Amino acid sequence: MAPDAAFTDLAGDSLSALTFANLLHEIFEIDVPVGVIVSPASDLAAIAAYVEAQRTGGTKRPTYDAVHARRRYAVSNSQVQQGARIGRRCWRLGHE
């Protein structure tokens, strides 16, 4: 996966962008506007740079509890699969 690919080019839509933004908020405790994610001017590298800029601007690194804490809410199978696809894409972007 190329860092210059746009989120929407990877079959992302506004609903999956909202899910992705919520996931980023849970993990990194930062707010990433959906507009940043789906913007035609934002590719994956730009989204990663935005996240990094927000994190280094005073936001602490995620803790084990922030990532793995037990939370009680219902999640559908399709949401889990979609989150896994997004997570793999982000992991690949961070390791290219």
Side-chain angles (χ1 to χ4, degrees):
M1 176 168 324
D4 62 347
F7 183 80
T8 53
D9 293 341
L10 301 171
D13 57 14
S14 59
L15 182 57
S16 60
L18 180 60
T19 303
F20 185 45
N22 288 336
L23 179 66
L24 291 171
H25 179 76
E26 286 180 25
I27 294 171
F28 298 111
E29 300 179 351
I30 61 168
D31 292 321
V32 179
V34 170
V36 169
I37 297 170
V38 297
S39 170
S42 293
D43 54 17
L44 295 178
I47 295 169
Y50 182 92
V51 169
E52 188 61 26
Q54 294 298 308
R55 287 183 65 222
T56 58
T59 303
K60 62 181 180 178
R61 294 183 60 93
T63 64
Y64 180 88
D65 288 335
V67 175
H68 301 286
R70 293 183 184 181
R71 296 182 179 95
R72 294 180 184 214
Y73 51 86
V75 179
S76 71
N77 188 35
S78 64
Q79 289 173 314
V80 170
Q81 290 173 348
Q82 182 178 28
R85 285 192 302 271
I86 291 171
R88 283 192 301 272
R89 290 175 184 157
C90 291
W91 184 85
R92 287 184 197 131
L93 175 64
H95 289 85
E96 288 184 350

